[in-house]
PDB file of all heavy atoms in Angstrom:
ATOM      1  N   VAL A  12     -21.120 -16.700 -22.584  1.00  0.00           N
ATOM      2  CA  VAL A  12     -21.633 -16.062 -21.368  1.00  0.00           C
ATOM      3  C   VAL A  12     -21.272 -14.577 -21.404  1.00  0.00           C
ATOM      4  O   VAL A  12     -22.107 -13.697 -21.163  1.00  0.00           O
ATOM      5  CB  VAL A  12     -21.055 -16.742 -20.098  1.00  0.00           C
ATOM      6  CG1 VAL A  12     -21.341 -15.925 -18.845  1.00  0.00           C
ATOM      7  CG2 VAL A  12     -21.623 -18.157 -19.956  1.00  0.00           C
ATOM      8  N   ARG A  14     -20.553 -12.769 -24.018  1.00  0.00           N
ATOM      9  CA  ARG A  14     -21.207 -12.062 -25.126  1.00  0.00           C
ATOM     10  C   ARG A  14     -22.655 -11.695 -24.778  1.00  0.00           C
ATOM     11  O   ARG A  14     -23.087 -10.559 -24.967  1.00  0.00           O
ATOM     12  CB  ARG A  14     -21.167 -12.934 -26.391  1.00  0.00           C
ATOM     13  CG  ARG A  14     -21.424 -12.188 -27.692  1.00  0.00           C
ATOM     14  CD  ARG A  14     -21.565 -13.123 -28.867  1.00  0.00           C
ATOM     15  NE  ARG A  14     -22.672 -14.069 -28.703  1.00  0.00           N
ATOM     16  CZ  ARG A  14     -23.966 -13.762 -28.820  1.00  0.00           C
ATOM     17  NH1 ARG A  14     -24.327 -12.530 -29.107  1.00  0.00           N
ATOM     18  NH2 ARG A  14     -24.907 -14.685 -28.650  1.00  0.00           N
ATOM     19  N   ILE A  43     -17.064 -10.438 -20.010  1.00  0.00           N
ATOM     20  CA  ILE A  43     -17.992  -9.322 -20.306  1.00  0.00           C
ATOM     21  C   ILE A  43     -17.185  -8.076 -20.667  1.00  0.00           C
ATOM     22  O   ILE A  43     -17.449  -7.411 -21.671  1.00  0.00           O
ATOM     23  CB  ILE A  43     -18.877  -8.965 -19.083  1.00  0.00           C
ATOM     24  CG1 ILE A  43     -19.643 -10.170 -18.587  1.00  0.00           C
ATOM     25  CG2 ILE A  43     -19.799  -7.793 -19.402  1.00  0.00           C
ATOM     26  CD1 ILE A  43     -20.535  -9.856 -17.375  1.00  0.00           C
ATOM     27  N   VAL A  99     -15.567   6.887 -11.999  1.00  0.00           N
ATOM     28  CA  VAL A  99     -15.552   5.493 -11.512  1.00  0.00           C
ATOM     29  C   VAL A  99     -15.156   5.483 -10.035  1.00  0.00           C
ATOM     30  O   VAL A  99     -14.106   6.006  -9.662  1.00  0.00           O
ATOM     31  CB  VAL A  99     -14.560   4.636 -12.340  1.00  0.00           C
ATOM     32  CG1 VAL A  99     -14.525   3.208 -11.810  1.00  0.00           C
ATOM     33  CG2 VAL A  99     -14.944   4.650 -13.821  1.00  0.00           C
ATOM     34  N   GLU A 143     -20.812 -12.378   2.673  1.00  0.00           N
ATOM     35  CA  GLU A 143     -20.591 -13.785   2.988  1.00  0.00           C
ATOM     36  C   GLU A 143     -21.869 -14.374   3.599  1.00  0.00           C
ATOM     37  O   GLU A 143     -22.763 -13.635   4.033  1.00  0.00           O
ATOM     38  CB  GLU A 143     -19.424 -13.902   3.979  1.00  0.00           C
ATOM     39  CG  GLU A 143     -18.100 -13.338   3.451  1.00  0.00           C
ATOM     40  CD  GLU A 143     -17.411 -14.250   2.431  1.00  0.00           C
ATOM     41  OE1 GLU A 143     -18.096 -14.943   1.657  1.00  0.00           O
ATOM     42  OE2 GLU A 143     -16.163 -14.250   2.391  1.00  0.00           O
ATOM     43  N   ASN A 165      -9.333 -16.694  -3.202  1.00  0.00           N
ATOM     44  CA  ASN A 165      -8.671 -15.523  -3.781  1.00  0.00           C
ATOM     45  C   ASN A 165      -7.151 -15.550  -3.618  1.00  0.00           C
ATOM     46  O   ASN A 165      -6.456 -14.661  -4.107  1.00  0.00           O
ATOM     47  CB  ASN A 165      -9.258 -14.243  -3.182  1.00  0.00           C
ATOM     48  CG  ASN A 165     -10.647 -13.976  -3.737  1.00  0.00           C
ATOM     49  OD1 ASN A 165     -11.204 -14.808  -4.437  1.00  0.00           O
ATOM     50  ND2 ASN A 165     -11.209 -12.825  -3.438  1.00  0.00           N
ATOM     51  N   VAL A 175      -3.680 -12.605   1.602  1.00  0.00           N
ATOM     52  CA  VAL A 175      -5.038 -12.153   1.269  1.00  0.00           C
ATOM     53  C   VAL A 175      -5.594 -11.399   2.482  1.00  0.00           C
ATOM     54  O   VAL A 175      -5.592 -11.933   3.597  1.00  0.00           O
ATOM     55  CB  VAL A 175      -5.971 -13.349   0.943  1.00  0.00           C
ATOM     56  CG1 VAL A 175      -7.351 -12.847   0.522  1.00  0.00           C
ATOM     57  CG2 VAL A 175      -5.350 -14.232  -0.134  1.00  0.00           C
ATOM     58  N   LEU A 184     -26.306  -6.448   0.520  1.00  0.00           N
ATOM     59  CA  LEU A 184     -27.324  -7.121  -0.300  1.00  0.00           C
ATOM     60  C   LEU A 184     -28.493  -6.168  -0.559  1.00  0.00           C
ATOM     61  O   LEU A 184     -29.086  -6.182  -1.640  1.00  0.00           O
ATOM     62  CB  LEU A 184     -27.796  -8.402   0.393  1.00  0.00           C
ATOM     63  CG  LEU A 184     -26.701  -9.471   0.524  1.00  0.00           C
ATOM     64  CD1 LEU A 184     -27.184 -10.622   1.400  1.00  0.00           C
ATOM     65  CD2 LEU A 184     -26.280  -9.990  -0.851  1.00  0.00           C
ATOM     66  N   HIS A 191     -31.332  -1.177 -10.617  1.00  0.00           N
ATOM     67  CA  HIS A 191     -32.529  -1.362 -11.439  1.00  0.00           C
ATOM     68  C   HIS A 191     -32.525  -2.711 -12.138  1.00  0.00           C
ATOM     69  O   HIS A 191     -33.569  -3.278 -12.419  1.00  0.00           O
ATOM     70  CB  HIS A 191     -32.637  -0.216 -12.464  1.00  0.00           C
ATOM     71  CG  HIS A 191     -32.658   1.128 -11.802  1.00  0.00           C
ATOM     72  ND1 HIS A 191     -33.561   1.448 -10.813  1.00  0.00           N
ATOM     73  CD2 HIS A 191     -31.865   2.224 -11.940  1.00  0.00           C
ATOM     74  CE1 HIS A 191     -33.337   2.686 -10.388  1.00  0.00           C
ATOM     75  NE2 HIS A 191     -32.303   3.174 -11.055  1.00  0.00           N
ATOM     76  N   ALA A 203     -21.334 -24.649  -9.451  1.00  0.00           N
ATOM     77  CA  ALA A 203     -22.648 -25.266  -9.714  1.00  0.00           C
ATOM     78  C   ALA A 203     -23.520 -25.355  -8.464  1.00  0.00           C
ATOM     79  O   ALA A 203     -24.728 -25.083  -8.511  1.00  0.00           O
ATOM     80  CB  ALA A 203     -22.463 -26.643 -10.339  1.00  0.00           C
ATOM     81  N   LEU A 225     -35.573 -12.022  -5.058  1.00  0.00           N
ATOM     82  CA  LEU A 225     -36.448 -10.928  -4.623  1.00  0.00           C
ATOM     83  C   LEU A 225     -36.419  -9.741  -5.589  1.00  0.00           C
ATOM     84  O   LEU A 225     -37.147  -8.773  -5.397  1.00  0.00           O
ATOM     85  CB  LEU A 225     -36.026 -10.439  -3.225  1.00  0.00           C
ATOM     86  CG  LEU A 225     -36.137 -11.459  -2.096  1.00  0.00           C
ATOM     87  CD1 LEU A 225     -35.570 -10.871  -0.804  1.00  0.00           C
ATOM     88  CD2 LEU A 225     -37.582 -11.878  -1.893  1.00  0.00           C
TER      89      LEU A 225
END
Side-chain angles (χ1 to χ4, degrees):
V12 168
R14 197 188 60 74
I43 304 180
V99 179
E143 300 284 33
N165 286 8
V175 183
L184 295 172
H191 303 306
L225 297 175

